[in-house]
Amino acid sequence: MTLLYTLSYPLTGPVEIFLLVLLIILLCPIIFGRLGIPQIVGFILAGIIVGPYGFDILARDASFEIFGQVGILYIMFMAAVEINMFHLKKNLGRGVLFGLITFAIPTLFGIFGSRWAFGASWSTCTLISTMYAAHTLISYPIVSRFGLQNSKPAVVAVCSTIVTVLLALLVLAGVVDAADSGGFHFSRFINLLWLMVAYAAGMGILIHFFTKYFFRKISDQIIQFIYVLAMVFFSSLMASVIGLEAILGAFYAGLMLNRFIPERSGLMGRLKFVGNAIFIPYFLIGVGMLINVHVIFKSWNVGWVALNMAVVAMVAKWISAFSAAKIFGFGRTGTRLMFGLTSGKAAATIAAALIGFQHGLLSEDMLNGAVLMILVSCLVASISTQNAARNLRLELTEAEFKKDNETQPGEYARQLVAVANPFTAENLMKLALLMRHRNNRNSVTAVFVRNSDDAHRVQAGRNSLEIAVSTAQAVDIEVKDIERYDINVVAGVTNEAKQNRATDIMIGLHRKSNIVDSFFGSMTEQLLNATNKMIFISRCFTSVDTLSRLIILVPENAEYETGFQLWVERVSNLAAQLAAKAIFLSNDTTANFIRNVIISEGYAIRHEYRSLATWDDFILHSGDINEDDIFIIIGARKGSLSHSSDLEGLPGYLQKNHSKDNLILIYPEQFGGSKD
């Protein structure tokens, strides 16, 4: 018996190629993880071994070209979309300054060091300096895995990447222009700047407008995922068209899409999963396949060039990170993290090396030396980033324990979400998840209460449960789904809340069925009387992900209620997840208490306070609410300290003036307490 199928090397069949790549992606983290080596290094080394300069098992064909480009764009996109915009704006000045430092020092080292070591022309030395200055966030997935994407050193390093790539691109364009035409043309430089400004304005408006419209019309997260990828690659393509690097377009798309993709959302989970599972490993394997370690042994000159490039580039980047960290007061761990993120080289460096070789500015030895420098930089960057990220994670964890040494996991919010309508179940569960503390590991209870056997209502309720459960599971939150038969909905919800020791109860706003029906409905009023737990009553006409502002009405004396700090924390969590601005309408005394909670708990949100001296002031401010906002009203049970006659007329006012607005009513816990 003879085999009908034989393997030939390099592999050519799509099945065996993809199978081998999957095996590499599967085994590298396991093997190198046990050795204490970053998996990024493992992927690159695996690419060297199986690539054309290793055992020639795989050829660097079109699939590696495509997936490799997708991978680097994905890294840049995720670096932008995972950043908290509050942290980005707060550290933008530092990021730009570090970008200038980490561009200027390697550029000077590159120009004068190459002139001394290689005796090359000034044009060649300048081109080599752009390879030293530019860096790629090749080790960023490590930072993301440790949950440090919003740490100050990481945010500053990510910001600096755009500055260095832009400046390196401009210098590279000038060098190539001078080599081709015999002189530098300042007009081309000005034209590129104008195109950059036009690109930023045009793409920013386009992505914001279409994304807001698309996310409001389409709730299917698979289709949303495809749309996001399409926007990333469209932005990258447009950047390439005007002469910029595609990675800049991917990063800019991430910034524009940031506010539409909350960290705790199913869409973010899918983006991370696909990137970490396929695109990024494919890119790293492809980088390894470019590297030919054999050239070191073919010529002493190549070894000398590679050693010089690697040492000078790494030393220059270390000095840059050390200098900036001293200025910013980041310490040793921050220095190592900034160095790790800004020392890796791939996309921009490869492009500069190939362009220089094609235009006769780099010799073959210099080209090979540059490729080997990429290998060294990737190894150093990965190891440095992993060690620094691990230490920083430990430092931050210890600080959190010191701050919350009395907080146990069981003391975080235990949420109960009551669903009955398939059209509102997803937004209800989303709001509950977005209001959770980032460290909350308690499960969410989704409950459908029925008191009849009406087939239509039962099926609608069960569909609602399925939607609520899938929404929570998409972000890896444990959820218990319960269908309960009880004498009425209020009894079912309160009994289930008692059994699960729920601290927060979330329900949908009652829909008025007739002219004599109240705005809140009898069920809501009965629920307020039946339990003293915190109750959230919501109504959202648009997708929660597209909201841009939270307008919060706070009654006088709200700071004296038992659940005051808890609802401030829930609202702050929501604002942080949506990257939305929180605008509080309250009197000055209450505003000071709110501000103290936000600052003391370390919430990184934009918050504004508008003085509310009389009820007329509220009517004036409430007219500023638009379709991108959610109007949050802090209610008060009768007999509580913050209850007043003004709140008695609130339902009628809301029905008359805010029947089309997104709305959340929060009734704080009246007795007892539970930390979110």
Side-chain angles (χ1 to χ4, degrees):
M1 181 178 179
T2 59
L3 292 174
L4 299 178
Y5 188 84
T6 58
L7 292 176
S8 59
Y9 300 99
L11 299 176
T12 56
V15 175
E16 54 260 34
I17 290 175
F18 200 68
L19 174 61
L20 180 57
V21 172
L22 288 179
L23 289 175
I24 293 172
I25 296 173
L26 172 66
L27 296 175
C28 274
I30 298 174
I31 296 172
F32 287 92
R34 291 185 176 180
L35 297 174
I37 300 174
Q39 60 181 343
I40 289 177
V41 175
F43 290 135
I44 296 173
L45 294 178
I48 296 174
I49 294 170
V50 303
Y53 303 114
F55 290 100
D56 198 22
I57 300 174
L58 288 177
R60 199 173 192 279
D61 58 11
S63 68
F64 283 96
E65 292 286 344
I66 295 171
F67 278 94
Q69 184 67 14
V70 171
I72 187 58
L73 295 180
Y74 217 92
I75 290 175
M76 295 301 294
F77 164 69
M78 291 305 298
V81 83
E82 286 187 317
I83 286 181
N84 182 297
M85 296 304 290
F86 178 86
H87 290 295
L88 178 64
K89 293 175 181 177
K90 190 175 181 180
N91 293 283
L92 185 59
R94 290 174 174 175
V96 173
L97 177 58
F98 180 45
L100 296 174
I101 293 173
T102 197
F103 174 81
I105 293 178
T107 298
L108 293 174
F109 273 55
I111 292 174
F112 295 105
S114 300
R115 183 74 173 179
W116 171 80
F118 310 137
S121 66
W122 288 111
S123 295
T124 297
C125 294
T126 304
L127 186 141
I128 292 174
S129 74
T130 64
M131 293 191 290
Y132 293 173
H135 60 263
T136 304
L137 294 172
I138 198 165
S139 58
Y140 178 80
I142 297 174
V143 171
S144 179
R145 190 169 68 249
F146 278 94
L148 298 172
Q149 59 268 28
N150 289 316
S151 63
K152 290 181 180 179
V155 174
V156 169
V158 169
C159 292
S160 74
T161 303
I162 303 306
V163 176
T164 56
V165 172
L166 274 174
L167 293 175
L169 176 67
L170 293 173
V171 173
L172 177 63
V175 171
V176 173
D177 185 33
D180 290 343
S181 61
F184 175 71
H185 297 85
F186 190 71
S187 59
R188 296 185 183 180
F189 177 79
I190 295 299
N191 287 337
L192 183 59
L193 289 179
W194 276 113
L195 286 172
M196 287 168 53
V197 173
Y199 166 83
M203 286 302 302
I205 295 172
L206 189 70
I207 292 176
H208 179 82
F209 174 79
F210 278 105
T211 303
K212 184 167 68 173
Y213 177 82
F214 190 88
F215 277 30
R216 284 180 176 174
K217 298 297 182 181
I218 305 295
S219 60
D220 188 293
Q221 292 194 348
I222 295 177
I223 299 178
Q224 289 182 349
F225 175 83
I226 300 300
Y227 169 83
V228 167
L229 286 189
M231 284 292 103
V232 172
F233 284 93
F234 177 68
S235 179
S236 301
L237 176 62
M238 290 297 101
S240 300
V241 166
I242 67 170
L244 296 174
E245 282 289 333
I247 57 175
L248 297 176
F251 186 85
Y252 190 66
L255 291 179
M256 293 298 101
L257 291 166
N258 183 289
R259 62 174 293 262
F260 298 103
I261 309 176
E263 178 187 356
R264 199 176 295 127
S265 67
L267 180 56
M268 179 66 85
R270 288 179 172 86
L271 288 169
K272 289 182 177 180
F273 175 80
V274 173
N276 293 330
I278 300 293
F279 292 146
I280 295 174
Y282 230 112
F283 159 69
L284 295 170
I285 295 169
V287 169
M289 295 173 71
L290 285 171
I291 297 169
N292 182 5
V293 295
H294 298 294
V295 297
I296 300 177
F297 308 103
K298 290 183 178 180
S299 168
W300 284 105
N301 189 52
V302 174
W304 159 246
V305 171
L307 179 63
N308 181 276
M309 284 185 166
V311 171
V312 173
M314 293 299 98
V315 170
K317 284 294 185 180
W318 172 259
I319 293 174
S320 301
F322 179 80
S323 303
K326 281 293 183 183
I327 296 173
F328 305 146
F330 284 168
R332 180 179 299 179
T333 304
T335 301
R336 292 168 60 191
L337 186 63
M338 291 168 64
F339 168 71
L341 285 171
T342 58
S343 57
K345 302 186 183 299
T349 305
I350 293 171
L354 293 176
I355 291 172
F357 183 71
Q358 292 167 1
H359 288 80
L361 293 171
L362 295 182
S363 65
E364 186 174 355
D365 287 350
M366 289 179 176
L367 176 63
N368 290 327
V371 173
L372 292 173
M373 175 189 67
I374 291 171
L375 171 61
V376 174
S377 69
C378 289
L379 299 180
V380 172
S382 301
I383 294 172
S384 177
T385 303
Q386 175 129 327
N387 291 335
R390 183 185 293 112
N391 291 337
L392 183 58
R393 181 73 273 164
L394 289 173
E395 292 174 9
L396 293 177
T397 302
E398 289 175 2
E400 289 176 1
F401 277 135
K402 289 179 181 178
K403 181 178 178 181
D404 298 323
N405 57 356
E406 295 181 356
T407 300
Q408 301 298 325
E411 292 179 328
Y412 287 106
R414 293 179 294 276
Q415 300 164 299
L416 183 143
V417 182
V419 296
N421 187 341
F423 295 104
T424 61
E426 182 178 7
N427 267 341
L428 269 175
M429 182 58 77
K430 276 186 177 180
L431 282 171
L433 300 178
L434 295 174
M435 287 183 176
R436 288 166 64 92
H437 192 279
R438 63 184 180 276
N439 296 330
N440 192 346
R441 297 294 178 267
N442 291 325
S443 61
V444 178
T445 301
V447 61
F448 161 54
V449 179
R450 63 187 181 92
N451 59 356
S452 71
D453 293 322
D454 183 274
H456 177 74
R457 291 187 178 182
V458 170
Q459 189 57 50
R462 290 173 177 171
N463 290 342
S464 302
L465 271 182
E466 291 178 3
I467 294 171
V469 169
S470 63
T471 302
Q473 290 178 340
V475 291
D476 295 326
I477 300 295
E478 182 183 354
V479 58
K480 296 187 293 185
D481 57 315
I482 297 171
E483 180 181 337
R484 183 185 182 101
Y485 191 95
D486 218 313
I487 56 174
N488 57 54
V489 175
V490 172
V493 170
T494 53
N495 289 334
E496 200 61 51
K498 291 175 183 177
Q499 289 181 11
N500 289 278
R501 296 184 301 117
T503 60
D504 298 11
I505 299 173
M506 179 162 285
I507 63 174
L509 182 63
H510 160 78
R511 295 194 176 202
K512 244 184 125 172
S513 58
N514 56 64
I515 195 169
V516 297
D517 199 3
S518 67
F519 180 70
F520 291 158
S522 59
M523 188 192 76
T524 301
E525 295 169 356
Q526 292 170 17
L527 185 61
L528 289 172
N529 293 327
T531 179
N532 58 9
K533 300 301 181 182
M534 181 147 54
I535 298 175
F536 299 83
I537 307 169
S538 75
R539 178 191 67 194
C540 285
F541 294 106
T542 59
S543 174
V544 175
D545 302 335
T546 63
L547 300 174
S548 60
R549 293 194 309 175
L550 279 56
I551 313 293
I552 306 105
L553 171 65
V554 187
E556 188 177 3
N557 297 325
E559 65 271 22
Y560 299 117
E561 300 291 352
T562 304
F564 171 74
Q565 178 162 334
L566 299 182
W567 73 253
V568 174
E569 292 177 0
R570 305 295 196 271
V571 170
S572 299
N573 287 329
L574 179 62
Q577 285 292 317
L578 296 176
K581 186 176 185 178
I583 301 175
F584 293 92
L585 310 179
S586 68
N587 63 44
D588 295 339
T589 302
T590 305
N592 288 331
F593 280 93
I594 296 172
R595 186 183 292 107
N596 289 338
V597 172
I598 293 174
I599 294 174
S600 64
E601 294 299 319
Y603 285 104
I605 62 172
R606 294 171 294 151
H607 46 111
E608 177 185 323
Y609 302 88
R610 297 179 182 177
S611 182
L612 201 68
T614 66
W615 186 254
D616 291 337
D617 293 334
F618 156 65
I619 295 174
L620 181 65
H621 289 307
S622 66
D624 189 34
I625 298 170
N626 56 52
E627 62 180 4
D628 293 333
D629 302 333
I630 187 163
F631 188 19
I632 300 177
I633 299 167
I634 309 304
R637 292 173 170 85
K638 292 182 179 179
S640 62
L641 292 172
S642 58
H643 187 269
S644 67
S645 58
D646 290 333
L647 293 177
E648 294 289 343
L650 184 61
Y653 177 81
L654 294 176
Q655 176 62 33
K656 182 179 179 180
N657 299 283
H658 297 283
S659 59
K660 301 291 180 66
D661 292 328
N662 305 307
L663 190 68
I664 299 179
L665 291 103
I666 302 178
Y667 286 88
E669 185 175 36
Q670 198 164 3
F671 308 105
S674 172
K675 186 173 175 55
D676 182 22

